[in-house]
Amino acid sequence: MALKIVKGSIDRMFDKNLQDLVRGIRNHKDDEAKYISQCIDEIKQELKQDNIAVKANAVIKLAYLQMVGYDISWAAFNIIEVMSSSKFTFKRIGYLAASQCFYEGTDVIMLTTNQIRKDLNSPNQYDTGVALTGLSCFVTPDLARDLANDIMTLMSHTKPYIRKKAVLIMYKVFLKYPESLRPAFPRLKEKLEDPDSGVQSAAVNVICELARRNPKNYLSLAPLFFKLMTSSTNNWVLIKIIKLFGALTPLEPRLGKKLIEPLTNLIHSTSAMSLLYECVNTVIAVLISLSSGMPNHSASIQLCVQKLRILIEDSDQNLKYLGLLAMSKILKTHPKSVQSHKDLILQCLDDKDESIRLRALDLLYGMVSKKNLMEIVKKLMIHVDKAEGTTYRDELLTKIIDICSQSNYQYITNFEWYISILVELTRLEGTRHGHLIAAQMLDVAIRVKAIRAFAVSQMAMLLDNAHLLAGNNQRNGICEVLYAAAWICGEFSEHLQEPNQTLEAMLKSKVTTLPGHIQAVYVQNAAKLYASILQQHEQAGDKKAAEEITQILIDKLPQFVQNADLEVQERASCILQLIKYIHKLQAKDIPVAEEVMALFTGELNPVAPKAQKKVPLPDGLDLDAWINDAPSESSSDDENTKKTIFHEEEQRSIRHRQPEMDEDELARRREVRKQEQASNPFYIKSSPSPQKNYQDASGVDHIPVVQIDLTVPLRVPGMPLSDQYLKLEEERRQQQRQDREKKKKKQKRDKKGKRRHDSLHTESDEDIAPVHQVDIITEEMPENALPSDDDDDKDPNDPYKALDIDLDKPLTDNEKLPVRMHRISEKKSPEIEAAPVEEKSKKPSKKAKKEKKDKEKRKSKEKGGKKHRKSYENPENEFAAPEEIIAPTLKEEAENEKPTEGSDLDFWLSKAPVQSKSQTESLKNEEASVIEEISETKEEGEAKSSKHKKKKHKKEKSKEEKKSQKKKRHSADDAPESVQNGSIDDELLPPMSSYSLLAENSFVKMTYDIQGNLQDGSQVVVSVIFENQSSGYLKSMDFNVLDSLNTKLIRPEGSSKHDGISVPFQLPPDVSNEARFVFTVESIVMPQKLKGTLTFIVKTDDGSSHEKLDFKLHFTCTSYMITTPCYSDAFSKLLESGELKISAIKVDRISISFQLLLAKICFHHHFSVVERINSCASMYSRSIQGHHMCLLVKMGDNSISVDGKCSDSTLLGNLLDELKQTLTESC
């Protein structure tokens, strides 16, 4: 065996490690694939060895190869072997490889369940941590179901490192196993108040991510998140919470009124730009959700806009982009607040970053009005000329059209200006948005009747200069404008000044180079224009001119008849035959203009885009039924039909290509084709063309060839410039103002026109009368059409859909998480129980002792569970033993929480203060967290119990155990009686508050509470509630305390010891808010008082005044104590240690009940009840610096005696004095 071990270690010396593999891959660049294949063969041999170190080395190399791109799924079983290693370094390698290559379809992943459970329950926190990290990458629904209970248990682990990981992985478990959300949610909710900031941040992240998709289920957490938002100093936690509030606000409008003040305070105080951006976003969402509006919401909007302006002016491109993005959200609801920053937005159009320019364009879309539309479009047109790159230039073109056409051309006052803008946009070369310009030209010409004459004149000009636009023949190019120009000129031909010239322009041979759909419109509208011209000539009696125009069409239309586009062919053929027939009628002097015009009379309304989808299905029509006989199902028939189909198609095509024609028709067509080829410059002829003869002629060679500079934008001659309309519009508006003022003067003279005068007086400058009116044309729909159709189909595979669960309902029995349990046979149980008894008679072993202790623990917990359920029914049992606090199951917690959550939210959203409730909740959570620490120390203490204890100590312990057993029997006998007495008295605990009055005057009232910091033993947190008692507005509040040698106020960096701390909020009348201040303390054994001053400004309608309020901050020894539950055995060990000092007090004339007395001590002095027997109770607490404080409280006839033990006698004496004062006041 030894030789085998030595041989294995020698072989490992020659194995390649990861560094050798990487070095080898770099050295074999030419044959990398071959080298890697050799390495994979070596790795396969290594995986066959028994040595786990060799396997781990092979797996880490496979993990690297997987990152390079090689498949390692074949080694999944070997990875599980390395995962099961007892050595952490190897286990980590296994989990790393599993997280990379395992997925839901991996076959062997089911074998990892028990191994992962074993690692999760490992005493080594790093084994547990690596298991949680790896599981998060390959968790499956089966793994999530089997391990959910184990992971949920880890959420209460004593180590924050494990609690944080367990909380985070629960999010993945919820996605894979949604049934675990409800039972685990109470535990997850507790982690929001975890003493560790990392665990708290993880819980906030998980809940916020869950609430992002289903916010309504988490509305009941609003009070808890509000408390975190006002107390947390972690910016990332604040960002998550503020995002969550932004999603919750639309569901509960009352929440917005609660949020607006702390959010504006954060906007004022924070220097973090990320937090500022989220605060602004949430404020916007809050103001949108408040449908009724707030009286001072304009101030909040102005504040947001000012802060966003700072972001936009920043040199950081990311901040500038975020500022523009948030500004666009404000623009939707408060456009006037953003319009004042138009100059800043226009400056962003000159930014080098294209994304910022595009975001600025989106802002300009919402900033336009009737006043500034022309000015904004003019600046955008300048940017169009200077724009580099077709993408940004096309976006500019789109935004110009969108800005002008929004809301049915609401902001356009002069449509001649808009038509000229569209015509100027046709100068753009290389654009792909020609169809947008064409659609706008058509829409304006159809809907604005007064503009048709001007539009027709501009379109005729475009048709005359079509050669400048026809160069870009790509689909959706600028040539698409000619589509609209031809249609407008044909449809509204009565407005043409020179129709003959326009007709000739539409029939030029250059038109045949345009796309087919444009040529089809040319042909169709040439016929319309011909009909109009023909009617004019017949009415004028000019037969010769009518025949000439007919002959022009007969000569020009054949070039369209032979077009490659079928639509052009069909239209040209039909119209050509019609024109020929008209020509024959003209030869017989028959008037035909009226009949031709009848072909194109009437207007066609646009059809709705979804009209075809909304046509109802007629009765008796089956769209799935066969029209002809169904084909046979045999494959041989299918093959035969395929062959015959192709054969028939070929024959059919041949027949269509050779129609029957006589010789005269063939000769005529041949002659027409030769003439067309002779006149077509693009047709290559066999004989030399006249053009070639011209080029070969003498005197041509000396002509220089001039290169055309196409970078210069082409300007169509005679095109109107839009700039001239700016001046005309200013003159028109000035004239309107003068007319309005004249009307006002006339109405002032007229006494009867008061009402009319008032209405004119309130008219704003925004109501500018447009020159032309827009006709709103409704789109046609079929009869009996459906009103709407639902096109928004949700993704059926959305994992968040299953998490839409009501978390407020109580848990049912079938919703408990599956727990792994051993199957125990009832017949074997007596033997199992008898085994330790037999061993006990001989010599008790460690195992027997441990089993006995575990058994006693389980019994005590069962008893504690019964007592706990009684304590929920009876308020007297509120301060029960720690076992009674731990006992309830998650189901009982959910049932106890359910009835109050809805009312709690309503109560919190109301104006009533809820400080006492939140305080008691935090105390309960602190108790629960400290119980875990005490239980951990207890287990460690039991494990470390040594054999070398003194015999004397054992005897003393045995005596005390006998006494305690007698007491337990006595208490067990009296327990029903005590409960019965409590139920008969039916005594309710009075409401208690830990806040004390600090100072008060006519302006402000301050109450405070001091709590120890669990994280730092040298710090205490002072919570001060400021309440405005005046009718004015309190602002610029400054809180300052004079430092002592022992206690000092923690001030911001760079502040001196004389500077105060500004309170991060302002107080409107009758409003209160809470602020927290942190103090450092060196010694806690003595109470002390610190003098302080609050300075503030009171702002009223009469003016502002500076005020101050002096106070004394009293740090009692009680304020340094932390409520810490303790077990009875740990309490007895502490008393036996002999390290505690003793002192006692006695108070006479006590008239309150013992239950209420204990409640006051627990609440005001931060103690917990360890054990209570009749009118005697033992209590425990711990200071922030680790001092143990033990009390024995006994109640006699109208008197109370308190015996105390503490590790510091001075602290004990001062604490007992404070306790005596509390008991005296309660009497």
Side-chain angles (χ1 to χ4, degrees):
M1 185 67 185
L3 291 174
K4 187 176 181 180
I5 295 173
V6 172
K7 183 181 178 183
S9 60
I10 293 174
D11 292 340
R12 285 178 56 195
M13 293 174 59
F14 298 99
D15 288 341
K16 292 180 182 177
N17 56 17
L18 180 60
Q19 292 181 348
D20 298 332
L21 176 65
V22 175
R23 191 180 297 113
I25 291 175
R26 291 178 179 175
N27 294 334
H28 293 78
K29 293 182 178 179
D30 297 334
D31 53 348
E32 180 179 320
K34 182 180 179 181
Y35 176 77
I36 291 178
S37 64
Q38 293 176 358
C39 293
I40 291 176
D41 293 337
E42 295 174 1
I43 290 171
K44 289 181 179 179
Q45 296 300 322
E46 292 174 2
L47 291 174
K48 293 179 182 179
Q49 298 186 22
D50 296 333
N51 195 330
I52 191 65
V54 177
K55 288 185 178 181
N57 184 43
V59 168
I60 192 64
K61 290 189 287 185
L62 285 175
Y64 176 78
L65 293 176
Q66 195 273 342
M67 296 178 188
V68 176
Y70 287 85
D71 181 27
I72 63 169
S73 59
W74 51 269
F77 188 80
N78 304 107
I79 292 173
I80 295 177
E81 288 182 317
V82 178
M83 285 169 58
S84 61
S85 173
S86 59
K87 196 171 182 181
F88 174 72
T89 54
F90 299 155
K91 186 184 293 292
R92 182 172 58 179
I93 291 172
Y95 274 104
L96 171 65
S99 64
Q100 289 182 203
C101 68
F102 282 10
Y103 61 97
E104 194 167 337
T106 304
D107 296 333
V108 298
I109 202 168
M110 65 180 69
L111 303 177
T112 62
T113 305
N114 290 328
Q115 177 59 42
I116 295 173
R117 180 181 282 115
K118 179 182 175 183
D119 291 335
L120 292 178
N121 298 322
S122 172
N124 187 351
Q125 64 171 334
Y126 299 108
D127 288 350
T128 307
V130 75
L132 289 171
T133 305
L135 180 62
S136 65
C137 298
F138 56 83
V139 61
T140 63
D142 293 335
L143 284 175
R145 183 190 64 247
D146 297 336
L147 300 175
N149 193 66
D150 299 277
I151 298 173
M152 193 175 71
T153 306
L154 292 176
M155 291 170 65
S156 300
H157 199 274
T158 56
K159 301 293 184 182
Y161 171 76
I162 300 300
R163 293 203 304 273
K164 180 173 64 175
K165 286 181 175 290
V167 168
L168 290 174
I169 197 178
M170 283 306 292
Y171 176 70
K172 293 290 187 71
V173 173
F174 294 153
L175 291 179
K176 297 294 182 180
Y177 183 53
E179 291 82 359
S180 63
L181 177 59
R182 279 173 47 75
F185 187 70
R187 189 73 60 85
L188 182 63
K189 184 179 175 181
E190 290 176 5
K191 298 300 111 181
L192 290 174
E193 295 185 320
D194 194 277
D196 186 78
S197 59
V199 179
Q200 191 182 61
S201 175
V204 168
N205 275 280
V206 171
I207 293 181
C208 290
E209 193 64 25
L210 291 171
R212 187 167 60 91
R213 299 297 185 96
N214 305 302
K216 65 178 183 298
N217 299 327
Y218 302 88
L219 192 59
S220 60
L221 295 179
L224 188 56
F225 277 113
F226 185 84
K227 181 182 176 183
L228 287 175
M229 185 181 73
T230 54
S231 60
S232 178
T233 56
N234 188 338
N235 284 344
W236 297 113
V237 172
L238 287 174
I239 287 172
K240 287 284 184 181
I241 293 174
I242 290 170
K243 275 187 173 181
L244 175 61
F245 275 131
L248 295 179
T249 302
L251 304 175
E252 179 53 75
R254 292 179 298 172
L255 183 61
K257 297 179 181 179
K258 194 92 175 176
L259 289 173
I260 195 69
E261 184 181 345
L263 287 177
T264 50
N265 292 334
L266 275 175
I267 292 174
H268 275 295
S269 59
T270 185
S271 59
M273 294 299 182
S274 55
L275 181 57
L276 174 65
Y277 174 73
E278 293 301 335
C279 288
V280 170
N281 268 344
T282 307
V283 167
I284 297 167
V286 165
L287 295 176
I288 292 174
S289 67
L290 295 174
S291 57
S292 58
M294 293 181 62
N296 297 323
H297 73 281
S298 58
S300 302
I301 286 294
Q302 290 300 329
L303 173 64
C304 294
V305 172
Q306 289 171 6
K307 292 293 183 179
L308 290 178
R309 185 179 179 97
I310 296 174
L311 289 180
I312 296 173
E313 291 175 345
D314 198 280
S315 58
D316 189 352
Q317 299 291 83
N318 295 322
L319 294 179
K320 186 176 292 188
Y321 183 86
L322 289 177
L324 292 171
L325 190 63
M327 194 80 84
S328 62
K329 296 179 181 178
I330 299 179
L331 185 66
K332 296 177 182 177
T333 54
H334 299 80
K336 291 186 179 179
S337 300
V338 182
Q339 285 176 359
S340 58
H341 302 276
K342 181 183 63 176
D343 55 340
L344 181 64
I345 308 302
L346 288 172
Q347 288 176 8
C348 294
L349 292 176
D350 297 325
D351 198 278
K352 296 180 180 179
D353 193 341
E354 185 173 337
S355 61
I356 292 177
R357 296 199 301 265
L358 295 176
R359 189 56 61 190
L361 284 176
D362 293 338
L363 265 175
L364 287 175
Y365 176 82
M367 292 174 62
V368 296
S369 62
K370 290 182 180 179
K371 287 183 177 181
N372 60 16
L373 174 64
M374 289 186 175
E375 179 186 356
I376 289 177
V377 172
K378 179 183 177 182
K379 293 183 179 180
L380 291 179
M381 292 293 292
I382 295 173
H383 282 280
V384 168
D385 294 333
K386 297 189 299 183
E388 297 179 359
T390 57
T391 304
Y392 176 60
R393 190 170 55 181
D394 287 348
E395 190 66 26
L396 272 172
L397 186 149
T398 306
K399 285 301 174 186
I400 290 173
I401 292 176
D402 290 344
I403 285 171
C404 295
S405 61
Q406 61 178 316
S407 302
N408 287 323
Y409 311 100
Q410 178 183 357
Y411 303 112
I412 295 179
T413 56
N414 192 334
F415 280 92
E416 290 186 6
W417 165 82
Y418 185 44
I419 291 292
S420 64
I421 288 290
L422 293 175
V423 174
E424 287 184 24
L425 288 175
T426 59
R427 294 186 288 112
L428 294 180
E429 296 181 5
T431 182
R432 296 181 180 179
H433 291 306
H435 65 286
L436 286 179
I437 303 175
Q440 284 296 293
M441 289 177 172
L442 290 170
D443 196 41
V444 172
I446 292 171
R447 298 171 65 175
V448 186
K449 295 180 180 179
I451 202 65
R452 288 177 181 173
F454 181 79
V456 167
S457 63
Q458 298 302 311
M459 297 305 105
M461 182 185 60
L462 286 178
L463 292 176
D464 291 340
N465 298 278
H467 60 282
L468 299 177
L469 305 175
N472 186 3
N473 290 335
Q474 63 180 355
R475 189 75 177 177
N476 295 331
I478 201 64
C479 63
E480 295 286 336
V481 176
L482 298 176
Y483 178 101
W487 191 91
I488 292 172
C489 289
E491 187 70 19
F492 309 115
S493 55
E494 65 272 12
H495 300 290
L496 280 171
Q497 298 294 329
E498 297 180 358
N500 292 340
Q501 182 179 349
T502 304
L503 181 62
E504 291 176 2
M506 294 172 69
L507 297 174
K508 288 181 180 178
S509 58
K510 185 74 173 177
V511 175
T512 56
T513 62
L514 293 172
H517 66 287
I518 298 179
Q519 293 186 50
V521 174
Y522 261 72
V523 172
Q524 186 71 20
N525 288 276
K528 294 181 185 178
L529 187 54
Y530 165 75
S532 178
I533 297 172
L534 186 63
Q535 186 182 30
Q536 292 177 8
H537 289 326
E538 285 193 1
Q539 290 177 355
D542 194 351
K543 296 181 181 180
K544 184 178 180 182
E547 292 178 359
E548 288 177 357
I549 199 69
T550 304
Q551 189 62 41
I552 291 175
L553 260 70
I554 293 174
D555 295 338
K556 297 292 186 180
L557 282 177
Q559 62 184 348
F560 297 102
V561 173
Q562 298 185 6
N563 196 285
D565 191 274
L566 294 178
E567 181 72 16
V568 179
Q569 280 186 25
E570 183 178 1
R571 294 196 183 199
S573 299
C574 294
I575 293 173
L576 181 59
Q577 296 303 320
L578 177 64
I579 298 299
K580 287 181 178 179
Y581 182 72
I582 292 172
H583 186 64
K584 293 178 181 178
L585 295 177
Q586 285 179 343
K588 299 177 181 179
D589 294 335
I590 298 175
V592 291
E594 294 296 333
E595 288 78 0
V596 176
M597 283 297 295
L599 296 174
F600 308 108
T601 54
E603 293 186 4
L604 295 176
N605 290 329
V607 180
K610 296 181 180 180
Q612 186 63 37
K613 290 176 64 176
K614 297 183 180 182
V615 175
L617 193 66
D619 296 336
L621 177 61
D622 186 6
L623 295 177
D624 297 327
W626 285 95
I627 298 175
N628 300 320
D629 295 335
S632 59
E633 298 179 357
S634 60
S635 58
S636 60
D637 294 341
D638 292 341
E639 293 177 359
N640 293 332
T641 52
K642 288 179 181 178
K643 294 178 181 179
T644 56
I645 285 171
F646 289 113
H647 184 63
E648 288 178 358
E649 285 181 355
E650 186 177 356
Q651 291 178 348
R652 195 181 298 117
S653 62
I654 293 172
R655 284 198 300 270
H656 280 293
R657 289 194 197 103
Q658 297 178 357
E660 296 181 0
M661 289 184 294
D662 54 358
E663 292 295 333
D664 296 338
E665 183 66 20
L666 287 174
R668 191 187 64 79
R669 289 197 174 189
R670 194 178 300 111
E671 190 64 29
V672 170
R673 186 171 62 254
K674 287 182 180 179
Q675 291 178 1
E676 184 179 353
Q677 291 174 359
S679 62
N680 189 356
F682 299 100
Y683 184 78
I684 301 175
K685 309 172 185 61
S686 58
S687 60
S689 62
Q691 185 177 1
K692 187 174 180 182
N693 294 335
Y694 173 76
Q695 289 176 354
D696 293 340
S698 60
V700 177
D701 296 335
H702 68 279
I703 298 175
V705 178
V706 181
Q707 296 292 334
I708 301 175
D709 186 11
L710 295 178
T711 59
V712 180
L714 299 173
R715 290 186 176 272
V716 180
M719 183 177 294
L721 295 175
S722 59
D723 297 347
Q724 61 183 344
Y725 289 99
L726 288 174
K727 187 175 181 180
L728 294 174
E729 185 65 18
E730 290 178 2
E731 294 176 356
R732 190 179 70 84
R733 292 179 185 175
Q734 187 175 2
Q735 185 64 33
Q736 284 183 354
R737 291 192 202 100
Q738 292 176 358
D739 295 343
R740 199 179 298 122
E741 289 175 359
K742 290 179 181 179
K743 288 182 180 180
K744 288 181 181 180
K745 290 178 181 179
K746 289 180 181 179
Q747 289 173 359
K748 283 181 181 179
R749 298 169 190 167
D750 190 1
K751 296 180 181 179
K752 297 180 180 179
K754 287 184 180 179
R755 293 183 182 176
R756 206 171 169 193
H757 166 67
D758 294 338
S759 63
L760 284 172
H761 182 70
T762 57
E763 185 179 4
S764 63
D765 292 336
E766 192 67 21
D767 299 330
I768 300 172
V771 179
H772 313 103
Q773 296 295 331
V774 183
D775 294 339
I776 307 299
I777 300 176
T778 57
E779 297 172 335
E780 290 188 348
M781 296 289 291
E783 295 181 1
N784 302 323
L786 300 174
S788 62
D789 49 351
D790 188 11
D791 296 331
D792 299 328
D793 297 328
K794 294 183 178 180
D795 185 9
N797 299 322
D798 186 8
Y800 294 93
K801 189 176 181 181
L803 292 176
D804 190 4
I805 302 169
D806 187 4
L807 300 174
D808 295 335
K809 289 182 179 179
L811 287 174
T812 58
D813 293 334
N814 59 353
E815 285 185 318
K816 291 182 180 179
L817 291 178
V819 181
R820 187 168 175 257
M821 300 177 66
H822 293 285
R823 187 177 299 171
I824 300 174
S825 176
E826 294 181 357
K827 295 180 180 179
K828 295 181 179 180
S829 57
E831 298 176 4
I832 296 171
E833 292 177 0
V837 177
E838 294 175 1
E839 293 178 359
K840 199 171 182 181
S841 61
K842 298 176 183 179
K843 187 178 180 181
S845 62
K846 294 181 182 178
K847 188 175 182 181
K849 289 180 180 178
K850 191 174 182 181
E851 287 178 357
K852 184 179 180 182
K853 289 180 180 179
D854 293 339
K855 190 175 179 181
E856 290 176 355
K857 280 184 192 177
R858 287 195 293 271
K859 288 182 179 179
S860 63
K861 286 184 179 180
E862 289 174 1
K863 293 179 181 178
K866 296 177 181 177
K867 291 180 181 178
H868 180 81
R869 285 188 287 272
K870 291 178 181 177
S871 67
Y872 267 79
E873 297 170 1
N874 189 353
E876 288 187 1
N877 294 326
E878 183 177 356
F879 299 95
E883 292 87 352
E884 299 172 4
I885 298 173
I886 302 172
T889 60
L890 289 175
K891 177 185 174 183
E892 292 169 350
E893 290 179 7
E895 289 176 350
N896 291 327
E897 287 177 2
K898 165 61 185 167
T900 60
E901 283 188 350
S903 58
D904 287 349
L905 180 64
D906 294 335
F907 183 66
W908 177 74
L909 290 172
S910 65
K911 295 184 178 179
V914 290
Q915 295 145 5
S916 60
K917 180 179 175 181
S918 62
Q919 189 69 22
T920 54
E921 285 180 358
S922 63
L923 287 174
K924 287 181 181 178
N925 291 329
E926 289 175 6
E927 287 177 3
S929 63
V930 179
I931 287 170
E932 296 169 1
E933 296 180 4
I934 293 295
S935 62
E936 182 192 9
T937 55
K938 175 190 169 186
E939 291 173 1
E940 292 176 359
E942 288 177 354
K944 293 179 181 178
S945 59
S946 59
K947 298 179 182 178
H948 54 276
K949 288 187 177 180
K950 296 180 180 180
K951 294 181 180 179
K952 183 179 179 181
H953 181 68
K954 287 184 178 179
K955 289 179 180 179
E956 291 176 357
K957 185 177 180 182
S958 63
K959 289 180 181 179
E960 289 182 4
E961 284 178 355
K962 289 178 181 179
K963 290 181 181 179
S964 62
Q965 287 176 2
K966 289 180 181 179
K967 289 181 180 179
K968 284 181 181 178
R969 293 192 196 112
H970 180 68
S971 62
D973 295 336
D974 295 339
E977 183 180 354
S978 62
V979 173
Q980 187 178 0
N981 293 334
S983 62
I984 291 172
D985 296 340
D986 198 17
E987 182 183 2
L988 294 175
L989 295 179
M992 292 181 285
S993 175
S994 60
Y995 283 80
S996 305
L997 180 64
L998 181 61
E1000 183 179 12
N1001 61 9
S1002 58
F1003 298 105
V1004 66
K1005 177 182 177 182
M1006 293 192 295
T1007 55
Y1008 76 104
D1009 178 41
I1010 304 175
Q1011 291 182 355
N1013 190 349
L1014 293 172
Q1015 305 298 323
D1016 193 343
S1018 62
Q1019 290 184 357
V1020 291
V1021 179
V1022 179
S1023 302
V1024 183
I1025 296 177
F1026 300 88
E1027 183 179 354
N1028 188 354
Q1029 300 189 132
S1030 66
S1031 59
Y1033 203 92
L1034 301 187
K1035 63 179 185 178
S1036 301
M1037 291 187 288
D1038 191 77
F1039 183 88
N1040 194 11
V1041 175
L1042 295 178
D1043 294 341
S1044 66
L1045 295 176
N1046 185 58
T1047 307
K1048 297 178 181 179
L1049 176 64
I1050 297 180
R1051 296 175 172 84
E1053 294 183 4
S1055 303
S1056 67
K1057 62 180 182 179
H1058 302 291
D1059 295 337
I1061 297 179
S1062 60
V1063 180
F1065 51 78
Q1066 300 175 356
L1067 288 179
D1070 300 326
V1071 173
S1072 62
N1073 205 342
E1074 184 178 8
R1076 296 192 175 189
F1077 307 95
V1078 183
F1079 289 79
T1080 58
V1081 182
E1082 294 184 4
S1083 175
I1084 63 172
V1085 298
M1086 294 286 291
Q1088 58 179 326
K1089 293 184 179 181
L1090 299 182
K1091 292 183 178 181
T1093 305
L1094 176 71
T1095 59
F1096 54 92
I1097 297 176
V1098 182
K1099 186 178 180 182
T1100 60
D1101 296 336
D1102 300 333
S1104 301
S1105 61
H1106 290 264
E1107 303 291 341
K1108 75 170 185 174
L1109 177 61
D1110 297 328
F1111 58 85
K1112 286 186 179 180
L1113 194 58
H1114 189 196
F1115 289 88
T1116 61
C1117 292
T1118 298
S1119 61
Y1120 305 132
M1121 306 305 293
I1122 301 173
T1123 305
T1124 308
C1126 181
Y1127 292 104
S1128 57
D1129 51 356
F1131 187 78
S1132 61
K1133 287 181 182 179
L1134 188 61
L1135 294 176
E1136 293 171 4
S1137 63
E1139 300 175 355
L1140 305 181
K1141 310 297 187 295
I1142 305 174
S1143 182
I1145 60 170
K1146 185 176 181 181
V1147 181
D1148 297 325
R1149 298 177 183 176
I1150 297 295
S1151 59
I1152 62 175
S1153 65
F1154 190 61
Q1155 173 69 24
L1156 181 57
L1157 185 73
L1158 293 181
K1160 286 184 174 291
I1161 296 174
C1162 289
F1163 186 80
H1164 293 290
H1165 296 276
H1166 307 160
F1167 276 85
S1168 62
V1169 178
V1170 179
E1171 190 175 8
R1172 174 188 170 185
I1173 303 172
N1174 293 335
S1175 59
C1176 181
S1178 56
M1179 310 181 75
Y1180 175 79
S1181 183
R1182 183 168 60 92
S1183 72
I1184 60 175
Q1185 294 184 357
H1187 299 95
H1188 299 285
M1189 184 70 67
C1190 304
L1191 298 181
L1192 179 62
V1193 183
K1194 300 177 184 178
M1195 189 169 188
D1197 296 334
N1198 296 328
S1199 66
I1200 189 79
S1201 62
V1202 180
D1203 298 331
K1205 285 190 176 184
C1206 181
S1207 54
D1208 190 284
S1209 58
T1210 308
L1211 177 62
L1212 176 61
N1214 291 321
L1215 192 63
L1216 289 177
D1217 291 341
E1218 295 172 4
L1219 185 60
K1220 185 175 182 179
Q1221 184 179 358
T1222 302
L1223 297 177
T1224 305
E1225 291 174 355
S1226 62
C1227 296

